[in-house]
Amino acid sequence: MADEELRSDRYGPTQVVHLGSAYNSLNEATVERVERFLLSCADDPDTKNLVVDLSHTQYFGSRFIEALFRAHNRMKRKLGKFALSGLLPYPEEVVRISKLDTIWPLYGTAEEAVRAFGGGEKSS
């Protein structure tokens, strides 16, 4: 869908957004790009579930959390599911301290999240 550093894969009704190593630290400029991409994935009528794979992201701040909330709210309005996967230690700590793990399920890998959301084969 986008470049290799910011891309999505579809597994049936679940779309996984991957943030590559170029997004290891999300500053204002990169957050805006990621947010636009997340929202376009959430708005896709074929997307029932959205997983954000953060396995390469070492740092993010409140602006990125706001972007995640926007994507989550769009999925919620569609009665879909939203989850995070692959959190590294610092981002996981931020999510847990903020109690966001009570809102968004956390999975070790994107594959685990896809299975939890009912599976599906990867679409080309």
Side-chain angles (χ1 to χ4, degrees):
M1 194 171 196
D3 64 46
E4 192 58 29
E5 289 295 318
L6 181 60
R7 65 181 174 80
S8 68
D9 293 319
R10 179 174 298 286
Y11 298 85
T14 301
Q15 197 165 167
V16 178
V17 173
H18 300 276
L19 280 68
S21 57
Y23 297 94
N24 69 337
S25 180
L26 294 168
N27 59 34
E28 193 66 31
T30 55
V31 167
E32 287 180 22
R33 180 165 185 237
V34 171
E35 180 177 30
R36 281 192 306 273
F37 189 76
L38 281 174
L39 296 180
S40 72
C41 291
D43 289 340
D44 182 330
D46 295 327
T47 299
K48 304 297 180 222
N49 309 306
L50 187 63
V51 177
V52 182
D53 177 24
L54 297 169
S55 56
H56 295 288
T57 303
Q58 297 178 24
Y59 173 81
F60 59 76
S62 60
R63 178 65 181 86
F64 182 62
I65 291 172
E66 180 183 335
L68 292 173
F69 263 111
R70 286 189 173 137
H72 167 258
N73 286 336
R74 290 192 185 185
M75 296 311 300
K76 190 175 172 182
R77 282 193 296 271
K78 292 167 65 167
L79 304 177
K81 298 176 186 170
F82 180 87
L84 303 179
S85 70
L87 287 167
L88 297 174
Y90 178 75
E92 182 176 3
E93 182 180 356
V94 168
V95 167
R96 291 193 187 278
I97 286 173
S98 304
K99 305 280 189 221
L100 296 172
D101 58 326
T102 64
I103 300 169
W104 305 322
L106 307 180
Y107 295 94
T109 66
E111 293 78 16
E112 289 175 26
V114 169
R115 279 194 305 275
F117 289 168
E121 294 297 314
K122 184 176 178 181
S123 306
S124 1

